[in-house]
Amino acid sequence: MLFDGTAFAPRSSQRYIAQLDVSQANQLSLRVDGDIISCDLQYADISAPLGKLPVKFTFPNGWVFTVERTVSVNQWLASNKRSSLVDKMEANGLAWLLSALVCVGVVLSLYFYVLPWTSDKVAKAVPSHIAVSLGDKILQSLDKSWQESKLSAEKQQKIQKRVSQHLTQLEALPYPIKLEFRASDMGANAFALPGGKIILLDDMVALAEDQQQLDSIILHEIGHIYHRHMLKKLVHSSLLSVGVALLTGESSGVVDNLAGLGVFFLSNGHSREAELEADVFSKQAMLSLYGTSQPLAEMFERLQEQYNHDVPEWLSTHPDFEQRIQAVSE
Ligand SMILES: [Zn+2]
């Protein structure tokens, strides 16, 4: 088979009418200007043909031959497996669809698996003093709208002392636990901050009928600290906004995210999984400390009762109460 085209001498722009003989297997022969220039097919560089552009053959000695894409040229390229990936994809809508699906799959698995996994690793690698100062910053921000606790210093110290005593009997925690007492009009609530601070609002302390009920709630918050839930959530959110910022070139999201840590912390509850993990921690700790986890179930019931009509933060961010009462009851 002969292809009619144009040839260019090495390092020259002079054009020649030429023919390329492809009839011999694995061999190219260029007939130009009364000469025949041959080479092994594997040593020739054949330009990746895009759409309808001419195909370019470059010989090892520098001769170049170009030919329009005719049906026979395409057939020869196809049978010599030199058609480009783009050509193949164009010819194969299914391949496009598959590659689009693969892209979607990659993004989804990044979001659902790689991101949580990375957040988990990063949260565990954050040095304690950084976690503590992050917690302190959040507390500073929260303190703008909260007041000092009305509980007596004696009562505060008594609770802190009892909790410290409990901690000696529990599994080691990533951070030392420090209770902080505050008053707020937001209702009975408690929070675990990155770095080991637990905030107890006066209404939560008042809601507990006895020390076991109060301890069950404190232990739930210690469960959040044990699992580093808040830190993981903040890292997760930061990684996501950093990722989005990198993808879109929009960097203000990162700054907003860091500046809004306190607000973020207040308005976002833990995930259902995180709550269940903290419940399990509290239940097991209550069983080993008091031989019963019933006070936790009682506390959940009291919270639910107290806010029967108006759904408070603690309930809305601590989902599926009925189910959780069942789960922590013996
Ligand atoms: Zn919780």
Side-chain angles (χ1 to χ4, degrees), residues 190 220-221 224 229 270 274-275 278-279 314 317-318 324:
H220 170 93
E221 298 305 327
H224 283 309
H229 284 148
H270 288 293
E275 290 309 338
D279 285 354
W314 214 80
T317 63
H318 290 68
R324 291 174 65 194

Side-chain angles (χ1 to χ4, degrees), residues 9 16-17 22 31 40 45-46 48 115 117 159 173 192 199 201 216 222-223 227 266 281 301 313 320 328:
Y16 300 87
I17 302 288
V22 294
R31 299 179 185 182
D40 208 289
D45 180 48
I46 304 174
L115 187 59
W117 184 86
I159 298 170
L173 295 167
I199 305 161
L201 297 185
S216 72
I222 293 176
H227 291 288
L266 260 186
F281 183 95
E301 276 164 9
E313 199 95 19
D320 302 314
V328 300

Side-chain angles (χ1 to χ4, degrees), residues 24-137:
Q24 281 178 278
N26 300 318
Q27 171 106 13
L28 293 176
S29 298
L30 181 63
R31 299 179 185 182
V32 58
D33 201 22
D35 265 339
I36 293 179
I37 299 149
S38 293
C39 84
D40 208 289
L41 177 59
Q42 62 172 316
Y43 298 125
D45 180 48
I46 304 174
S47 65
L50 272 171
K52 302 239 181 308
L53 290 175
V55 183
K56 187 166 103 176
F57 295 76
T58 306
F59 282 68
N61 63 3
W63 274 89
V64 173
F65 175 78
T66 65
V67 60
E68 295 299 320
R69 295 194 65 159
T70 60
V71 173
S72 52
V73 168
N74 278 339
Q75 277 169 355
W76 181 85
L77 285 170
S79 61
N80 286 274
K81 300 209 185 337
R82 298 302 288 258
S83 76
S84 74
L85 184 62
V86 176
D87 270 14
K88 283 179 195 154
M89 296 285 265
E90 270 178 359
N92 193 344
L94 187 64
W96 276 117
L97 186 65
L98 282 176
S99 53
L101 285 176
V102 167
C103 288
V104 170
V106 167
V107 169
L108 288 180
S109 61
L110 278 174
Y111 183 77
F112 285 108
Y113 298 102
V114 179
L115 187 59
W117 184 86
T118 312
S119 305
D120 197 81
K121 297 288 164 210
V122 172
K124 281 183 182 153
V126 169
S128 296
H129 71 276
I130 292 180
V132 170
S133 71
L134 185 58
D136 289 348
K137 269 197 185 133

Side-chain angles (χ1 to χ4, degrees), residues 133-151:
S133 71
L134 185 58
D136 289 348
K137 269 197 185 133
I138 294 171
L139 184 55
Q140 273 172 21
S141 166
L142 296 174
D143 269 340
K144 285 175 195 159
S145 55
W146 289 352
Q147 298 88 48
E148 272 183 46
S149 170
K150 309 272 188 301
L151 291 182

